Amino acid sequence: MIKSYKYEIFTAVIEKQIRSGILQENDRLPSVREIKEKYKLSTSSVQSGFEYLLIKGLIKSHPRSGYFVAEIQEEHIPEVRTKLPVVVRDAEFMKNMMLTSKRTSESSSFNTAVPGDLLIPQKLILRTMQEVIREKGAALLRYYPSNGLETLRKQIAKQMGTYGCILNPDEIIITDGALQALTIALKSVTKPGDVVAVDSPCVFSILEVIANLDLKVIEIPVHYRSGFDTEYFRTVCAENDIRALVVTPNFHNPTGVLMSDEVKAELLSIAEQHRLCIIENDMYSDLYFGEQRPRCIKSFDTKGLVMTYSSFSKTLAPGIRLGWLYAGDFYAKSERARFSLGRSVSPVYQELVLKLLQGSSYERHLRSFRKKLNQQAIQILDTLKSSFPEGSYFHRPQGGYSIWGRLPENMDMERFYEYCEKHQILFTPGDTFSFTDKYQFHFRIVFAERITPESLILLGNAGEKAKKLLLGT
């Protein structure tokens, strides 16, 4: 179980009072001394609690006067229904990989969805790796089981069990990262020429895996509020022989959208009706900004139709190429597909992750990491909303790494990207995330790098340029 911060004993009360309307805008909050005395906390714990509430945008600070309730604005989320034709598209995707991985400096890279160097827990990883090497020695130079270290699989199953997702460790396969897990899953349920559905917009790397397996794609729109267009998906399934759905329900990349539990259950119902497999990307679920980790689709599954995969590259470091796939009823075919891609995963990485999961350091890192990501998301959203032209929309994520932006449709996107490229401000263009042209006015902003005053200035400059382009200057 995750250990709670001491300050949560009072921040939870204040947050509940604000959200229920007991505390109103500009109401003064108790002082640090009053909180200390009432809850028997240290000064540092109380200050950390107020900092937490500041980051969440619930309170504001007036120097020498104390803390007050901030204005809580109801965010306007547009009910935009993306119109995608119900047509099977051949997977021919030739976008340049550099659009999603090129870096200039940390201050201007908003395009790479992995933790930046300054957010990686370098000391923790290197110290633990040294311990593993000392303890295991030459054993790390041998092959490990092709399906992965048994104790690691059991630890992953134990961890997922605490989130309400019961997995059989004997049906988990350790992989060289998430993309290999996805490849194995698709290989186990499809053959070249088959049709799969994906959420749309869809991250570049998933589209590339599908293309390389010679599969055909139907894109299903993601909705800002509910997370997925289930009505459209029902129509697609009725009119096409869909073999699998590849979906990221929690903190979707690139939109940051969190799928509701109702939609997750409905998706599973549709899959059961049409006997298709759901391949669930659970990579971002640990990066939640709310009170608890959201449920995965697999936790609703009683028919064995869901395969779930994840990776530690998004929560620890991109160079740690270790992921896992829960294959379930598809285990036999998945095991063969895994073996054909390599004898075993790096023993060093397996032992490293196992040691981190068995202790408390990984959970402590996640708590700190989520807090930093949440704070950076708020900073970037404030800059985006104050700098970009009226008519723009930037979706507020509830976790993960990504903010999905949309500019007015009369924007000259070519000139906007030319300006950004010239000034080394890197976003990922929206049309990178689809085989269609439906996202040409969209782009993804990643907040996994350390945000600096320079970062925010560069972002603000891009917004001011967008305003000028709308005016024709």
Side-chain angles (χ1 to χ4, degrees), residues 194-215:
D194 280 348
V195 181
V196 297
V198 299
D199 43 22
S200 180
C202 182
V203 66
F204 168 80
S205 55
I206 290 177
L207 295 176
E208 276 295 280
V209 168
I210 292 170
N212 288 329
L213 293 176
D214 293 325
L215 300 172

Side-chain angles (χ1 to χ4, degrees), residues 39 165 176 184 221 306 469:
Y39 294 97
C165 184
D176 282 307
I184 293 167
V306 179
L469 289 173

Side-chain angles (χ1 to χ4, degrees), residues 82-95:
T82 304
K83 301 296 183 181
L84 297 175
V86 183
V87 59
V88 176
R89 297 180 178 274
D90 287 307
E92 297 176 355
F93 192 64
M94 303 301 292
K95 294 292 182 181

Side-chain angles (χ1 to χ4, degrees), residues 19 55-56 75-77 222-225 249-259 284 287-291 294 370-382 384-385 393-405 443-448:
R19 296 197 184 282
I55 290 171
K56 296 198 75 171
E75 185 173 15
H76 173 66
I77 302 177
V222 167
H223 283 177
Y224 290 138
R225 289 188 181 276
N250 296 332
F251 318 126
H252 173 260
N253 184 3
T255 64
V257 166
L258 173 61
M259 186 183 293
Y284 300 96
L287 302 179
Y288 56 92
F289 300 158
E291 295 181 358
R370 286 195 294 264
K371 184 177 180 180
K372 290 176 183 176
L373 288 175
N374 190 11
Q375 182 176 12
Q376 296 199 157
I378 291 170
Q379 289 179 300
I380 286 183
L381 278 166
D382 287 346
L384 291 168
K385 291 181 177 182
Y393 176 73
F394 299 96
H395 189 71
R396 181 181 295 274
Q398 298 178 55
Y401 285 163
S402 303
I403 294 171
W404 187 237
F443 61 95
R444 182 187 70 178
I445 307 101
V446 174
F447 48 89

Side-chain angles (χ1 to χ4, degrees), residues 103-123:
R103 282 184 174 175
T104 52
S105 67
E106 286 209 346
S107 64
S108 58
S109 295
F110 299 99
N111 65 325
T112 307
V114 293
D117 291 346
L118 295 175
L119 295 184
I120 291 173
Q122 297 181 32
K123 292 182 179 179

